Amino acid sequence: MDMDATVKELVESLSLELRRGTIILSVLSQMKQPKYGYSLVQVLEQKGMSIEAGTLYPLLRRLEKQGLLKSEWQTDSNKPRKYYSLTTLGSDVYGELCTQWNKLVDGMKHLMDGGAQDE
């Protein structure tokens, strides 16, 4: 395997690990208005954060079980859909996660710009 292919493979693998850590924050960020699963997949895709349905639906159920989301079936159309939205707790947790994310980003910028080097 040549060096370029090795680098590309490693970057793809490590990027996937980084993305996994952002999925919850990505989902919560889009739940201010009720959404059903497929619409959430589409919105996230449009905004550059693709997520497989097989990853999203278990995550939505877990976030609901944790009290961060609530769901409601809407059956007024031909296709009944389960809509999810943020709870008050979910909104509070989302706000705190945003604060933590911004601290993390600031810290990483500092590290990547050469700060905090050992002497």
Side-chain angles (χ1 to χ4, degrees):
M1 184 182 292
D2 67 36
M3 183 62 91
D4 289 342
T6 301
V7 169
K8 185 176 180 181
E9 186 177 303
L10 282 169
V11 167
E12 284 178 15
S13 174
L14 294 172
S15 293
L16 183 59
E17 285 185 47
L18 287 173
R19 262 180 74 337
R20 279 191 193 120
T22 63
I23 290 174
I24 292 172
L25 190 57
S26 300
V27 167
L28 292 177
S29 75
Q30 300 305 302
M31 301 305 294
K32 293 176 182 91
Q33 300 296 320
K35 290 187 180 54
Y36 60 94
Y38 184 69
S39 69
L40 185 54
V41 168
Q42 290 178 310
V43 167
L44 289 170
E45 181 76 35
Q46 290 168 357
K47 295 184 177 185
M49 179 56 112
S50 60
I51 185 170
E52 299 291 325
T55 300
L56 178 64
Y57 287 104
L59 175 60
L60 290 172
R61 287 190 295 272
R62 189 176 93 218
L63 294 173
E64 184 176 22
K65 192 173 188 179
Q66 293 171 327
L68 304 180
L69 297 179
K70 60 184 174 187
S71 67
E72 183 177 313
W73 281 97
Q74 291 193 6
T75 57
D76 48 350
S77 67
N78 292 344
K79 202 173 191 180
R81 292 190 169 124
K82 191 175 192 179
Y83 281 79
Y84 293 87
S85 58
L86 276 178
T87 62
T88 302
L89 175 63
S91 184
D92 291 346
V93 167
Y94 172 66
E96 288 298 317
L97 287 175
C98 287
T99 299
Q100 293 299 316
W101 174 260
N102 288 326
K103 287 179 183 177
L104 182 63
V105 168
D106 290 345
M108 289 305 301
K109 282 181 184 176
H110 183 66
L111 289 171
M112 293 166 69
D113 290 342
Q117 293 180 356
D118 292 336
E119 300 201 17

